[in-house]
Amino acid sequence: MRLIDYGVRDDEKKYIEEWAKINKVEVKIVQELLTPETVELANGFDGIVAYQQLPYDPVVFDKMNEYGIHVISLRNVGVDNVPFEALKKNDIRLTNVPSYSPEAIAEYSVTGLMALLRNMKHMIRKVDQYDFEWAPDIGRELNQLTVGVAGTGRIGRAAIKIYEGFGAKVIAYDKYRNDELDKKGMYVDTLDELLKQADVVTLHLPSLGKGNTVINAKTIAEMKDDAVVVNTGRGDLINTQDLYDAVANGKLYGAVLDVYENEVGIFNTDRTDQELDDKLLEKLIQSPRIILTPHIAFYTTKAVKNMATISLNSMVDELNTGTSGNEIDLDK
Ligand code: COI
């Protein structure tokens, strides 16, 4: 079996090499993303493993078919940048890594929230300038707040555990309820209800498709004054301009954004000393009440190792048995 792994970062390499050695499978590691220009590197291989934020071009899948490759295994969870129709047309199966470390993302959400509630961004900036004054950065305590968890999949549930540990009141919403949380009476019936009751709204939902935002001017108007929004899910869940305006005009207390609707091509690149041509992004970065980070909630040693190895295991299962536990239903 010969596999090719695309878009591999330096921090992933050692896990892939280790896996290849243990499993005695040839894995060619390439840094290039999977594009119509680079797909020919895969000619002669049995399966493609990849990760990228950039949309996968349908042409890539026509080429895979031409080369007789019928499985692509992603190292991440999100499949919103994959054109399913092109996969179906070319009889290509797709796997993802549905759970590499829900705790990594849950812990990061809470870390961001705590930093925001204690005004750390502003305080650190002040201290950097030798301004040691307390006011106006008085904090708020999590144990006094109602946290609304939107989405109770693995990540949402890991977050709930942590919030309960802090003594916060937790309410939740999901289209598909979790039995245990339901028994605890944690669910509200609608997302609107959650937005109305919560002091903190934390998003653990997949993308709902372009234009289908959960947080926008209309929903913000329904939210409590001084509420906080935390997003480690997908940038397109939020109308970012509306959110920025609501923080700037004092309706909302602030936001923690680890994802941003226009992040592709910017996040995980070094723009030191360059002009940013995204004015909204500049404003988010400047705001003392918005903590913006470049999609790093997942970025831990445990998660990266799991992404590298689980994707390869799924590929082996697909090639050996024709299926795997992580195959995506392309008709859903
Ligand atoms: C995903 O797994 O889809 C993520 O959003 C994390 C990614 C940046 C590797």
Side-chain angles (χ1 to χ4, degrees):
M1 185 182 297
R2 300 181 71 222
L3 308 178
I4 181 163
D5 218 325
Y6 277 86
V8 174
R9 303 183 305 271
D10 285 348
D11 52 74
E12 298 175 292
K13 223 171 150 181
K14 63 173 180 288
Y15 301 121
I16 297 170
E17 285 170 350
E18 202 176 271
W19 181 95
K21 208 166 152 192
I22 294 169
N23 291 277
K24 299 187 178 55
V25 172
E26 180 187 337
V27 185
K28 184 177 166 69
I29 294 175
V30 296
Q31 281 182 340
E32 287 87 348
L33 302 182
L34 181 57
T35 65
E37 290 73 41
T38 63
V39 66
E40 68 177 12
L41 294 171
N43 200 356
F45 288 84
D46 301 302
I48 290 182
V49 182
Y51 165 67
Q52 66 194 41
Q53 278 197 304
L54 207 73
Y56 292 93
D57 191 313
V59 170
V60 161
F61 303 108
D62 296 337
K63 287 279 178 198
M64 279 176 68
N65 194 4
E66 208 178 297
Y67 304 151
I69 305 173
H70 290 281
V71 191
I72 177 163
S73 181
L74 303 186
R75 301 197 295 280
N76 65 310
V77 59
V79 292
D80 39 328
N81 58 346
V82 187
F84 282 14
E85 287 312 314
L87 289 176
K88 287 199 267 185
K89 183 182 109 186
N90 288 295
D91 196 20
I92 293 172
R93 305 190 297 284
L94 171 72
T95 70
N96 71 346
V97 183
S99 177
Y100 41 80
S101 178
E103 295 78 16
I105 296 153
E107 285 182 13
Y108 190 83
S109 310
V110 183
T111 303
L113 176 62
M114 298 299 282
L116 182 73
L117 292 175
R118 304 309 290 262
N119 291 302
M120 283 218 184
K121 181 172 177 181
H122 194 226
M123 194 50 99
I124 289 169
R125 282 181 173 172
K126 271 172 33 179
V127 171
D128 283 348
Q129 306 297 319
Y130 303 157
D131 175 353
F132 301 102
E133 233 170 359
W134 298 341
D137 296 306
I138 195 160
R140 294 165 77 188
E141 296 183 32
L142 186 48
N143 62 74
Q144 306 280 294
L145 304 178
T146 298
V147 178
V149 177
T152 57
R154 293 182 184 90
I155 298 171
R157 295 203 299 278
I160 287 171
K161 259 196 205 164
I162 303 174
Y163 285 121
E164 286 184 314
F166 272 100
K169 176 176 175 199
V170 182
I171 56 173
Y173 172 77
D174 201 306
K175 237 170 38 179
Y176 308 100
R177 292 187 174 200
N178 170 272
D179 283 348
E180 213 177 300
L181 301 182
D182 209 7
K183 275 187 206 131
K184 282 183 160 177
M186 205 172 262
Y187 285 106
V188 292
D189 290 334
T190 62
L191 194 50
D192 279 355
E193 207 44 56
L194 181 129
L195 294 175
K196 274 186 195 143
Q197 290 184 29
D199 299 298
V200 176
V201 174
T202 181
L203 303 179
H204 300 291
L205 300 163
S207 168
L208 304 176
K210 215 172 160 43
N212 291 322
T213 53
V214 172
I215 306 291
N216 52 56
K218 195 160 160 256
T219 57
I220 290 169
E222 298 292 308
M223 289 171 68
K224 280 181 151 178
D225 289 346
D226 271 337
V228 168
V229 173
V230 179
N231 190 9
T232 53
R234 281 292 180 264
D236 61 8
L237 293 169
I238 295 181
N239 180 318
T240 318
Q241 182 67 55
D242 290 355
L243 176 75
Y244 173 79
D245 290 344
V247 174
N249 70 28
K251 160 72 184 170
L252 295 180
Y253 182 83
V256 178
L257 303 178
D258 185 49
V259 286
Y260 169 52
E261 56 184 311
N262 301 317
E263 70 180 64
V264 178
I266 299 180
F267 282 9
N268 200 20
T269 66
D270 183 356
R271 304 289 176 112
T272 316
D273 299 332
Q274 283 178 37
E275 288 275 310
L276 272 184
D277 52 17
D278 183 331
K279 295 294 161 219
L280 178 56
L281 181 58
E282 247 171 34
K283 288 199 276 186
L284 299 172
I285 293 167
Q286 291 313 319
S287 169
R289 286 287 179 83
I290 294 175
I291 293 184
L292 180 116
T293 49
H295 208 143
I296 54 166
F298 84 100
Y299 195 50
T300 66
T301 49
K302 171 181 152 187
V304 169
K305 181 176 183 183
N306 283 340
M307 295 162 102
T309 56
I310 295 171
S311 54
L312 287 162
N313 288 335
S314 302
M315 174 59 80
V316 170
D317 288 349
E318 287 286 343
L319 293 176
N320 285 339
T321 70
T323 187
S324 78
N326 293 330
E327 194 173 313
I328 302 288
D329 181 350
L330 299 177
D331 291 315
K332 262 197 182 159

